[in-house]
Amino acid sequence: MLSGAAHGAVPDPAPGARYPIRDSVLTKNKLYRSGALEPSECPEREVKPNHAASAKRYLTSVLNCLNTSWGAHLQQAGLPFAKARIAFGVKPRRFCGHVWSKSAAAQYCGRERRFLVKLDDTLLEDPSDLVLFLLAAHEYGHHIQTLTGMERAFDYHPYKGKRELGEQIRRNELQAECLAGVFIGSVWDSLDRTEEDWEYLLELTRRNGDERYGTNHGKGRTIATWLDRGFRAASPAACNTWTVPPSRVR
């Protein structure tokens, strides 16, 4: 699972709170009007199966690309920016004040502006696909949400019952996935990859998305749809998950 905030600090719903989402920080954020990311280069480093050191170098390299690309984009748009950091572990542990979910491959902590990657056997077994690249890009999507105020707005938005809460979490996670696609689309021409590689990643996501990400991200086909939407547009304008009908975030 690639997860962000737990949405557990939300206060009781305000009387008469409206739903769907009405918070303009989420629905009309300046990020959506910031234009497409400039194409840039992010050539992949070699990563060997079951080799933690090469995976660390690979993910750190991708993070450097993310900081450079998104940093230039946000600054050009007049939005705040600070670099994200990365850390690694081999076993689940407490992170950002929360117990680590057993299925989580990585988690982002907004107050630390850092994400932690669990380099276990499952993640390292076959690093030849784009899953590691996507993992870093997804967690960075949560960093973008933090920098633009959307993560805080999400954390404190009222909800009525578990069903509404679950939908808000999916909107948040699917937006991070779409923003991951935006970045990957902007650097795609610099990767030694083919269209078949992208389609394979989408198929992996459709087939295993619920299992890999957890039910709070939506169904595999929904995750793949938002990932591809961001990839094709290479623009945050494609990633406003807060205004679409519930049927598109299931």
Side-chain angles (χ1 to χ4, degrees):
M1 178 177 68
L2 313 179
S3 62
H7 208 35
V10 183
D12 291 336
R18 293 180 297 172
Y19 189 75
I21 307 298
R22 304 296 184 192
D23 190 331
S24 61
V25 176
L26 298 170
T27 62
K28 299 179 181 179
N29 199 281
K30 188 177 179 180
L31 179 68
Y32 306 137
R33 305 188 301 277
S34 61
L37 263 69
E38 287 291 327
S40 59
E41 295 189 358
C42 190
E44 295 177 89
R45 299 191 61 161
E46 180 185 7
V47 56
K48 304 173 185 177
N50 303 309
H51 194 267
S54 66
K56 289 179 182 180
R57 289 191 293 268
Y58 178 96
L59 286 164
T60 301
S61 176
V62 176
L63 176 62
N64 290 338
C65 295
L66 285 156
N67 278 325
T68 298
S69 178
W70 278 112
H73 184 79
L74 294 186
Q75 289 169 350
Q76 178 67 28
L79 289 163
F81 177 71
K83 290 183 177 181
R85 298 177 297 129
I86 193 170
F88 304 96
V90 294
K91 295 181 180 179
R93 61 179 174 84
R94 290 188 67 84
F95 180 63
C96 204
H98 301 288
V99 176
W100 189 283
S101 170
K102 291 182 179 180
S103 61
Q107 290 188 11
Y108 173 79
C109 181
R111 68 170 179 261
E112 297 180 13
R113 292 176 176 171
R114 178 173 70 120
F115 59 91
L116 180 65
V117 179
K118 184 178 67 175
L119 294 175
D120 60 9
D121 292 342
T122 301
L123 190 63
L124 297 177
E125 184 178 6
D126 181 14
S128 63
D129 53 36
L130 283 162
V131 170
L132 283 177
F133 205 98
L134 173 58
L135 183 151
H138 176 100
E139 296 308 321
Y140 207 93
H142 289 303
H143 184 58
I144 297 300
Q145 290 171 323
T146 295
L147 294 174
T148 56
M150 288 191 285
E151 192 73 29
R152 179 176 175 80
F154 157 69
D155 277 342
Y156 289 96
H157 198 282
Y159 60 90
K160 298 177 181 178
K162 291 183 178 180
R163 182 175 180 179
E164 194 171 294
L165 171 60
E167 184 175 303
Q168 289 182 21
I169 292 173
R170 292 193 301 275
R171 290 180 188 275
N172 187 65
E173 292 293 345
L174 290 167
Q175 181 174 65
E177 189 76 356
C178 182
L179 291 172
V182 168
F183 170 73
I184 297 172
S186 74
V187 299
W188 185 255
D189 287 346
S190 73
L191 305 183
D192 187 18
R193 297 284 186 171
T194 65
E195 183 68 20
E196 287 72 24
D197 289 321
W198 180 250
E199 291 300 330
Y200 181 63
L201 180 64
L202 292 178
E203 181 55 33
L204 283 178
T205 303
R206 293 186 194 100
R207 191 168 66 238
N208 304 322
D210 334 43
E211 177 182 333
R212 186 198 308 154
Y213 291 78
T215 56
N216 63 354
H217 287 59
K219 296 178 180 178
R221 64 176 180 270
T222 305
I223 301 168
T225 295
W226 282 101
L227 173 61
D228 194 49
R229 180 181 172 89
F231 176 83
R232 302 296 172 187
S235 169
C239 300
N240 190 348
T241 58
W242 300 100
T243 57
V244 299
S247 60
R248 293 183 59 189
V249 293
R250 287 178 181 159

